[in-house]
Amino acid sequence: MVTEAAVWEALAQIPDPEIPVISLVDLGVVKSVEVEGESVRVEFTPTFLGCPALEVMKRELERAIEAIGAEPQVEVVMDDSWSTDRISPEGREKLREAGFAPPTPRAAGPTTLVQLQSKAFRCPYCGSTETRLDNIFGPTPCRSVRYCESCRQPFEQFKTI
Amino acid sequence: MSERAQLLLELADDELILGWRDSEWTGIAPFLEEDVAFSSIAQNEIGHARALYELAARELGGDADSLAFDRRPDEYRCAPLVQARLVGDWAATIARHVLYETADAVRLEALKASDDAELAGLAAKMDREEVYHRLHAEMWLARLGGEERTRTALDELWPSALGVLALELRPLLAERLGRPEVEAVERVAPGAEFAELWQEMTLVRRSAPAGAQW
């Protein structure tokens, strides 16, 4: 008999396909887990809709559930329940260590250009806030590119959504 | 076809075709940052199209790919604004970007307030990503908005921008952009420029139809 805690533990072992330092549970894409006998129902809430890793994530969730001897039922939730605020504190720390500046907390209103051009963003390498926006877009939809004026290092900043 | 399915196809076709047009800049934008920006924007738009087609497929059958690629060119419902091939003309591309993103914002606000919980939820998710498209458009409008070529392109594309929206939303767009409501270029069966894009866009699909194995 599989328990809900065992499922969460199994899912917490799955690395994100693009940034493997962080797990899918840390990323916050697992919205809920329900166990009913041998069947495990998981609600998966995707990050960016155009993210090519979504299919891989869904398959990995199914595989992890099968590996603990249960029948997976992964449902994709297409609403706005995922936000960068769902990334766990541990996940944020792991991102920073890997050189990705974690997203700033979501504000009441949508992000503005003035905010992006402000000094609110900290370099993940040297900790300076003397950073400037280089490009709103980056190597994947979830990231922007910034430049640190202190340590002269470009870095990837997670967008807040 | 229900009104809902019709609406979903209009939205999805707009996002797919604009994504395709934006991706034409990949590798040849004026500088590297814009290669990255337009490619990323294209990827987002096509992701939105996929989610919208998936919703439509629940009613119409098939899947996102079959709705995106297996229809005849005259069955697409995309607005003329997104069909135009503007690659090579940066001013016109920025003008379309500004006009489309503003129109899309008006449309998404209306959808987010709709009674259709599924569509409202998806619109809210799309809107979170679109915020960054709008910031990018805003940044470029600040740079190029005063230039003659951009102003001309904005004037020329304005009637097509109105045509992106349902009648009742057009006054909101006119107000937001401070432009007069003129006669809109409506959604009609796509023309020759679209047919050419369709040929290119569906080539892989047609040479490897559903069920093909290799």
Side-chain angles (χ1 to χ4, degrees):
Chain A
M1 178 71 189
V2 179
T3 64
E4 198 184 306
V7 176
W8 279 108
E9 201 178 314
L11 301 184
Q13 307 302 315
I14 309 172
D16 173 81
E18 278 180 348
I19 307 172
V21 295
I22 178 175
S23 84
L24 292 190
V25 171
D26 281 334
L27 189 60
V29 294
V30 181
K31 193 179 172 190
S32 70
V33 170
E34 270 177 52
V35 179
E36 227 186 278
E38 293 307 303
S39 169
V40 174
R41 185 170 167 273
V42 169
E43 278 186 312
F44 167 54
T45 174
T47 53
F48 279 66
L49 287 164
C51 177
L54 296 181
E55 288 300 316
V56 181
M57 290 187 195
K58 183 167 180 268
R59 234 176 12 248
E60 292 296 320
L61 291 171
E62 287 166 349
R63 244 180 241 160
I65 293 166
E66 278 164 2
I68 55 169
E71 183 69 36
Q73 204 188 329
V74 177
E75 277 178 35
V76 183
V77 189
M78 282 293 190
D79 62 14
D80 68 334
S81 51
W82 187 81
S83 137
T84 38
D85 284 357
R86 286 183 60 90
I87 301 176
S88 69
E90 297 78 20
R92 295 171 58 84
E93 201 38 53
K94 287 177 199 163
L95 286 175
R96 196 190 324 270
E97 279 169 17
F100 300 103
T104 52
R106 207 202 281 172
T111 307
T112 63
L113 269 185
V114 173
Q115 280 168 358
L116 290 185
Q117 284 154 355
S118 76
K119 304 277 180 199
F121 300 88
R122 196 174 283 280
C123 170
Y125 298 106
C126 74
S128 167
T129 52
E130 290 299 315
T131 69
R132 63 172 163 80
L133 179 67
D134 187 48
N135 194 353
I136 295 174
F137 295 93
T140 69
C142 53
R143 291 173 249 167
S144 298
V145 177
R146 297 187 74 86
Y147 183 79
C148 176
E149 306 278 10
S150 291
C151 69
R152 299 174 183 246
Q153 172 74 32
F155 65 91
E156 294 175 18
Q157 169 70 53
F158 266 78
K159 289 189 181 109
T160 298
I161 72 163
Chain B
M1 195 187 297
S2 73
E3 253 178 58
R4 182 179 193 258
Q6 177 89 14
L7 172 68
L8 285 168
L9 287 184
E10 280 180 11
L11 294 166
D13 289 350
D14 279 358
E15 299 274 297
L16 175 70
I17 301 309
L18 184 65
W20 202 273
R21 287 304 189 201
D22 282 347
S23 78
E24 289 174 326
W25 280 105
T26 303
I28 55 166
F31 43 89
L32 182 63
E33 278 76 3
E34 289 309 312
D35 267 12
V36 171
F38 265 89
S39 305
S40 209
I41 291 169
Q43 189 180 339
N44 285 340
E45 303 293 20
I46 291 171
H48 299 169
R50 180 173 69 174
L52 290 159
Y53 284 131
E54 275 169 11
L55 270 193
R58 285 193 212 153
E59 180 179 326
L60 302 173
D63 59 18
D65 279 347
S66 67
L67 287 174
F69 301 121
D70 294 347
R71 286 181 295 153
R72 291 193 317 271
D74 62 357
E75 290 177 303
Y76 285 75
R77 289 288 166 262
C78 40
L81 181 69
V82 300
Q83 290 173 33
R85 186 169 193 271
L86 301 179
V87 67
D89 187 338
W90 188 248
T93 298
I94 293 304
R96 169 165 64 190
H97 188 35
V98 169
L99 294 171
Y100 182 81
E101 297 300 348
T102 313
D104 199 32
V106 169
R107 182 164 67 180
L108 287 172
E109 275 161 34
L111 290 172
K112 279 159 72 174
S114 118
D115 295 335
D116 186 329
E118 216 169 31
L119 190 48
L122 179 57
K125 183 162 183 65
M126 286 163 56
D127 199 36
R128 283 192 204 287
E129 300 177 13
E130 296 288 353
V131 165
Y132 291 93
H133 299 191
R134 294 198 284 274
L135 295 179
H136 179 258
E138 185 189 327
M139 184 184 81
W140 272 102
L141 187 65
R143 283 180 189 166
L144 296 184
E147 301 288 332
E148 183 62 33
R149 276 180 58 198
T150 317
R151 289 211 308 267
T152 306
L154 283 166
D155 291 343
E156 279 174 11
L157 293 171
W158 171 235
S160 303
L162 283 168
V164 170
L165 296 177
L167 280 176
E168 69 274 16
L169 296 177
R170 292 177 188 176
L172 284 172
L173 180 64
E175 194 191 317
R176 205 162 290 191
L177 289 169
R179 287 182 167 265
E181 260 195 273
V182 295
E183 198 179 330
V185 177
E186 303 291 346
R187 289 172 197 272
V188 286
E193 204 171 25
F194 178 82
E196 203 179 309
L197 171 63
W198 181 87
Q199 285 288 342
E200 186 190 317
M201 185 176 90
T202 58
L203 180 69
V204 173
R205 178 78 174 176
R206 280 179 288 125
S207 55
Q213 304 228 330
W214 62 84

